[in-house]
Amino acid sequence: MFRTRLLSGIVLVTAALALVILGGNILLAGLFVISMIGLFELYRVFHIEKSLLGKSGYLAAAVYYLNLGFPFIPETEMFVLGFLVLVMAVYVLKFPDYKADQVFTGFAGVFYVAVMLSCIYQTRMLIGGAYLVWLIFLCSWGSDTCAYCVGVLFGKHKMAPVLSPKKSIEGAVGGVLGTVLLTILYGWIFRTEMNLTLEYVFILAGISGVGAMVSMIGDLAASAIKRNYNIKDYGKIIPGHGGILDRFDSVIFTAPMICFLARLLM
């Protein structure tokens, strides 16, 4: 099991490296595929993955990604309202085929998975994005690793005893502090390439600290859905890791936070 998990993890990291380094439309296309798989996994929990409601969500995700690459929708609100009308039309015209929770999942799922993951691409497209984008993964996977290590060594107080008994407050603090320190190191190493002063290195560290905290919410949110519906993993597409949502649960939340804070502060 460990060997399978390790090998699939290496493949996953290699694929992520390739996509992010190449950037542009290749990254956009890769994120679209990942988003569609993740959306399918989420919809499967609510039994709408092959329904007209689910197909409406896939269509909306495709339109959203196409608009990112080749803009044709003047205002974001037009997309949101248009998709909402489509979902509600399916709800009322096919009534009583769908329950209200399925309808709202069909709508919110596109934003939870596809839109939030697209922020990896949007961060990559910023000035200095070739370096800023790695903060997303540093905050997500780096924070998780630091939190695990500190939690194993020093964890005594449960952070969410019902939802995730193994996670501790000490681990969470260690995850945030570890991410901040890793970001300071990262910023210092690449300060010339990123044209950073010492002040901006610490601003990056602050952004990563917030990103690390948000990544934990993403992790726990995905776990909460699984607990509510009594499932172990969202899928099996990544051997040893589960599905896309199992591996990218924290990235989904970290990506928009890093993107927005980088736009605001950098």
Side-chain angles (χ1 to χ4, degrees):
M1 181 64 180
F2 174 77
R3 183 181 179 184
T4 301
R5 185 179 176 86
L6 177 63
L7 290 175
S8 60
I10 291 172
V11 172
L12 180 64
V13 170
T14 302
L17 281 169
L19 284 174
V20 174
I21 290 172
L22 290 170
N25 288 335
I26 294 176
L27 174 60
L28 187 64
L31 287 172
F32 171 66
V33 173
I34 292 170
S35 295
M36 293 297 274
I37 297 171
L39 196 56
F40 179 85
E41 291 175 350
L42 180 65
Y43 283 174
R44 184 167 53 193
V45 175
F46 294 85
H47 308 295
I48 59 172
E49 74 277 12
K50 296 181 181 179
S51 68
L52 181 60
L53 183 60
K55 291 174 182 176
S56 299
Y58 304 141
L59 175 63
V63 169
Y64 177 79
Y65 271 85
L66 186 62
N67 184 65
L68 277 180
F70 309 95
F72 59 91
I73 301 176
E75 299 289 342
T76 303
E77 289 82 358
M78 291 178 63
F79 168 77
V80 176
L81 295 176
F83 179 39
L84 180 59
V85 169
L86 175 61
V87 167
M88 287 303 175
V90 172
Y91 183 32
V92 299
L93 293 176
K94 299 292 287 183
F95 190 85
D97 288 3
Y98 304 110
K99 303 297 183 183
D101 63 331
Q102 293 175 310
V103 174
F104 286 110
T105 299
F107 178 73
V110 171
F111 299 93
Y112 172 53
V113 181
V115 174
M116 293 177 81
L117 275 177
S118 77
C119 290
I120 297 174
Y121 167 80
Q122 296 184 58
T123 304
R124 179 66 173 80
M125 297 301 289
L126 295 174
I127 297 174
Y131 294 94
L132 291 172
V133 70
W134 298 107
L135 295 183
I136 294 172
F137 301 99
L138 192 153
C139 290
S140 301
W141 299 340
S143 169
D144 186 56
T145 301
C146 292
Y148 174 78
C149 294
V150 173
V152 168
L153 293 173
F154 306 106
K156 293 182 179 180
H157 301 87
K158 303 300 182 184
M159 182 170 67
V162 177
L163 180 57
S164 188
K166 293 183 179 180
K167 294 186 185 299
S168 66
I169 294 175
E170 292 83 359
V173 173
V176 173
L177 292 179
T179 302
V180 168
L181 292 175
L182 285 172
T183 303
I184 291 174
L185 178 62
Y186 176 79
W188 183 254
I189 292 172
F190 293 104
R191 65 189 185 281
T192 303
E193 290 83 355
M194 298 176 71
N195 194 28
L196 294 178
T197 62
L198 183 60
E199 177 186 0
Y200 274 96
V201 170
F202 284 102
I203 289 176
L204 276 186
I207 291 173
S208 289
V210 175
M213 288 186 282
V214 171
S215 77
M216 295 177 194
I217 296 174
D219 183 20
L220 291 172
S223 297
I225 295 173
K226 289 191 287 187
R227 288 294 183 95
N228 279 160
Y229 290 89
N230 297 313
I231 59 174
K232 184 178 184 296
D233 294 314
Y234 283 101
K236 298 179 181 179
I237 194 171
I238 309 173
H241 293 268
I244 290 295
L245 293 183
D246 295 296
R247 186 65 274 176
F248 286 85
D249 49 6
S250 56
V251 174
I252 284 172
F253 275 64
T254 305
M257 182 61 65
I258 296 299
C259 184
F260 296 149
L261 288 178
R263 285 176 176 170
L264 180 66
L265 300 175
M266 297 303 292

